[in-house]
Structures are given as C-alpha cells and as structure tokens.
Amino acid sequence: MTQSTPQRVVRRGRVFPEIQWTEERKAQEKARRQAFSERCWAIFERLKPEILDKYYGWYIAIEPDSGDYFIDQDQEVASKMAREKYPHVIHHIYGINETGISGRI
C-alpha cells in the first residue's frame, strides 16, 4: 500500500512582496527616525539634571512635538499616560539614569 503525501505550497520570501521600498525611501525613513530620536534626546538631556536624583531608576515618556513628558516607576504606566494624552502620536521612553537606557540585558 502506498501512502499519499499532502500537497502543501511552501511560500518563501516577503510577507507582502508588493511593498518594495527603494534605497531612497529607506534612507528617508532612517533620517526621519534619527531626527525624531534626536529631538527626544535633547528634551531628555535638558531634563536629566532636574529629575536624575529624585526619580533615579524610573521611566520617562517624551512627546517631542509638545515637549510634554510623563514619569512613572513602571515603563508601561509612563507609556500609557503618554498615549492617553496623545493617542495618535509616537513617544519615546528613556530610563532615568546616566545613560537613558530603559531595558535590561
């Protein structure tokens, strides 16, 4: 007796092959993200001397267009506060420490 094997189409490659960014578009997106990060970092550096001693180890969510920031002990709560006030705007999270890194290895 012979066994039949199921016929299955194996798809390899991009999930959305119709979306192909040019090198120019990739460079534009990278520059946009870099500019956003630099605007957020400037606000964090300006605030760091004021908040470093009082909130060391906490998290800060920064919305760069308005300059508003939200501080909490929990990263998710700080992010939620930023999303509640600015629901359709991207914000950046920093850890309040010397480096601004908010994650752990």
Side-chain angles (χ1 to χ4, degrees):
M1 186 165 136
T2 62
Q3 290 183 331
S4 63
T5 58
Q7 296 297 320
R8 197 170 71 166
V9 176
V10 177
R11 179 178 166 162
R12 293 194 168 102
R14 296 184 57 93
V15 175
F16 299 106
E18 65 276 3
I19 301 175
Q20 297 290 327
W21 281 10
T22 62
E23 291 302 318
E24 179 183 353
R25 174 74 188 268
K26 290 178 188 177
Q28 288 173 348
E29 184 62 21
K30 184 176 181 179
R32 185 190 65 77
R33 286 192 314 265
Q34 183 66 29
F36 174 80
S37 179
E38 288 172 2
R39 288 183 9 235
C40 292
W41 184 254
I43 294 169
F44 178 68
E45 284 293 316
R46 180 175 46 94
L47 294 170
K48 194 162 61 169
E50 302 168 19
I51 62 176
L52 192 60
D53 291 334
K54 188 174 181 182
Y55 299 107
Y56 192 86
W58 290 31
Y59 297 94
I60 183 169
I62 298 175
E63 196 286 307
D65 294 331
S66 66
D68 284 351
Y69 57 93
F70 307 90
I71 298 174
D72 197 88
Q73 285 180 327
D74 185 2
Q75 182 176 358
E76 292 300 319
V77 174
S79 182
K80 183 179 179 186
M81 291 188 310
R83 284 193 312 267
E84 285 175 355
K85 186 163 183 183
Y86 301 101
H88 302 294
V89 178
I90 297 172
H91 60 275
H92 201 295
I93 298 282
Y94 292 104
I96 301 176
N97 54 37
E98 293 81 11
T99 62
I101 297 172
S102 64
R104 294 184 179 172
I105 296 178

